[in-house]
């Protein structure tokens, strides 16, 4: 039985998240399937930023560090992100970029395993993870070892200090079993770190329950914090007393305003701060996270799977020739669906011209990948249905072969 638009609308009417779309500002006529790259604008953020800029900064000036409680922003945001990743707010730091968070955690992990000389990275991970691991290996005289994506633990032996993996793959949307891999790598004596950029706010994550050692994640994708929003860093409570991050700036000092000559690290995750935190970006992020108020991770996951299931079903019905690279198995699927195509870039551009926004990712090995992210807070089943109709029309009319799509933009 084929799936109709009426079926899609019926699914929307019974969805527990049907009210959360109103928490976002989305342009008329756009179906936004790129929340796995940059989340949409949450409704209160523009007003919050205007208030912080004009009131707190413009009028309050330096007094706002105390009066507007700018120092408390990091802790308040950590407490909001924590339940989305199965952690306590006290075990998170927020404020660096993901890349800098990766640097800090990788150095700390290597220092916790002084006899072990290897960092294991998965080769199809987001490039920055590999680049940072290479930089850390170079800095500390370690070796970078690539693992088999299908069996990352096989590369972990008695030389390995850290296995660092991305939980949900940025190209395919494939998801690892965090608890099983963590336990298997730890049984071989390694520490395990998870990059949650494509997980936080989209799929259930249980950092504490899975026994992970470190985690990092960005906040500009499914957490909707805005372009370049600060990342979070999580360190297992059991490691915090011994883990030492390398960028020992004054904001990680036990008493920054004592202005002492020598560094004395602050307790807990405050010691993971380095310099002054980005108040404007954190203010936007704090308000953005209100979009999750009253929404459980289970509801998010159920809605996300319902959207990706429908997208996959419609692709199977309408375009069975497409090479889907996202796992069908719910346990292995994140919140995106991707397909490989010789003209993936042109397809994505032709869809964007029709108001259906996804993106393209190169795979090194051609052909590239067209990616579609499904943010359950603001996407409907009707959007999914309409997006597939547009895709069918693009391919039927060969719109993706238009000469203007032969050259790629700087950001794909
Ligand atoms: C898995 C993963 N890690 C890291 C990053 C980016 O790191 P940064 O926030 O430092 O730009 C991305 C960006 O898309 C990503 O997908």
């Amino acid at each position: 039985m084929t799936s109709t638009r009426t079926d899609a609308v019926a699914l929307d009417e019974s969805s527990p998240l049907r009210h959360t779309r109103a928490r976002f500002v989305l342009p008329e006529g756009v179906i936004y399937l790129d929340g796995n790259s940059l989340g949409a604008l949450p409704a209160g953020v523009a007003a919050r930023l205007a208030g912080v800029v004009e009131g707190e900064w413009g009028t309050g000036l330096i007094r706002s560090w105390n009066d507007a409680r700018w120092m408390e922003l990091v802790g308040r945001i950590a407490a909001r992100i924590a339940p989305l990743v199965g952690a306590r707010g006290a075990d998170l730091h927020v404020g660096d970029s993901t890349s800098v968070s990766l640097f800090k955690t990788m150095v700390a992990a290597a220092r916790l395993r002084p006899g072990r000389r290897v960092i294991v990275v998965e080769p199809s991970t987001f490039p920055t993870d590999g680049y940072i691991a290479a930089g850390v290996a170079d800095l500390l005289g370690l070796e970078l070892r690539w693992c088999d994506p299908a069996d990352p633990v096989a590369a972990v032996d008695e030389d390995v200090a850290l296995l660092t993996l991305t939980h949900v793959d940025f190209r395919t949307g494939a998801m690892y079993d965090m608890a099983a891999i963590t336990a298997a790598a730890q049984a071989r004596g390694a520490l395990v770190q998870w990059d949650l950029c494509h997980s936080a706010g989209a799929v259930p994550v249980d950092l504490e329950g899975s026994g992970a050692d470190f985690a990092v994640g960005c906040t500009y994708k499914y957490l909707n914090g805005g372009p370049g929003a600060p990342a979070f860093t999580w360190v297992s409570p059991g490691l915090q007393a011994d883990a030492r991050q390398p960028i020992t700036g004054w904001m990680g000092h036990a008493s920054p305003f004592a202005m002492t000559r020598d560094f004395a690290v602050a307790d807990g995750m405050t010691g993971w701060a380095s310099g002054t935190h980005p108040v404007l970006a954190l203010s936007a992020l704090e308000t953005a996270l209100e979009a999750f108020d009253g929404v459980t991770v289970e509801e998010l996951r159920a809605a996300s799977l319902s959207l990706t299931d429908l997208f996959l079903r419609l692709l199977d019905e309408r375009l069975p020739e497409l090479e889907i690279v996202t796992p069908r198995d719910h346990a292995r699927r994140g919140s995106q669906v991707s397909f490989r195509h010789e003209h993936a870039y042109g397809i994505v551009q032709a869809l964007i011209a029709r108001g259906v926004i996804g993106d393209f990712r190169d795979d090194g090995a051609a052909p590239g990948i067209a990616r579609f992210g499904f943010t359950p807070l603001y996407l409907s089943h009707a959007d999914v249905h309409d997006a597939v109709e547009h895709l069918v029309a693009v391919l039927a009319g060969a719109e993706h072969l238009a000469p203007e799509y032969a050259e790629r933009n700087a950001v794909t």
Side-chain angles (χ1 to χ4, degrees), residues 73 120 185 219 222:
L73 266 174
V120 173
T219 62
Y222 296 101

Side-chain angles (χ1 to χ4, degrees), residues 315-371:
L315 292 185
D316 287 345
E317 286 170 10
R318 308 291 310 276
L319 300 165
E321 68 281 9
L322 283 183
E323 187 193 346
I324 311 278
V325 294
T326 302
R328 305 281 172 154
D329 178 5
H330 283 180
R332 295 219 48 231
R333 190 195 309 159
S335 199
Q336 80 180 53
V337 174
S338 310
F339 60 80
R340 201 182 285 284
H341 195 285
E342 198 191 340
H343 301 293
Y345 181 74
I347 291 172
V348 167
Q349 292 306 311
L351 281 171
I352 292 173
R354 287 170 162 266
V356 180
I357 303 181
D359 66 18
F360 166 82
R361 285 294 176 263
D362 223 330
D363 199 2
I369 283 183
R371 300 193 305 178

Side-chain angles (χ1 to χ4, degrees), residues 192-215:
V192 181
Q193 150 145 289
W194 293 94
D195 179 332
L196 302 178
C197 281
H198 290 268
S199 312
V203 302
V205 176
D206 186 5
L207 284 173
E208 281 206 21
S210 68
D213 296 300
F214 295 94

Side-chain angles (χ1 to χ4, degrees), residues 286-306:
E286 184 174 39
T287 297
L289 290 167
E290 289 172 10
F292 288 88
D293 282 354
V295 177
T296 65
V297 173
E298 291 69 32
E299 284 171 337
L300 282 173
R301 179 60 170 162
S304 156
L305 284 173
S306 181

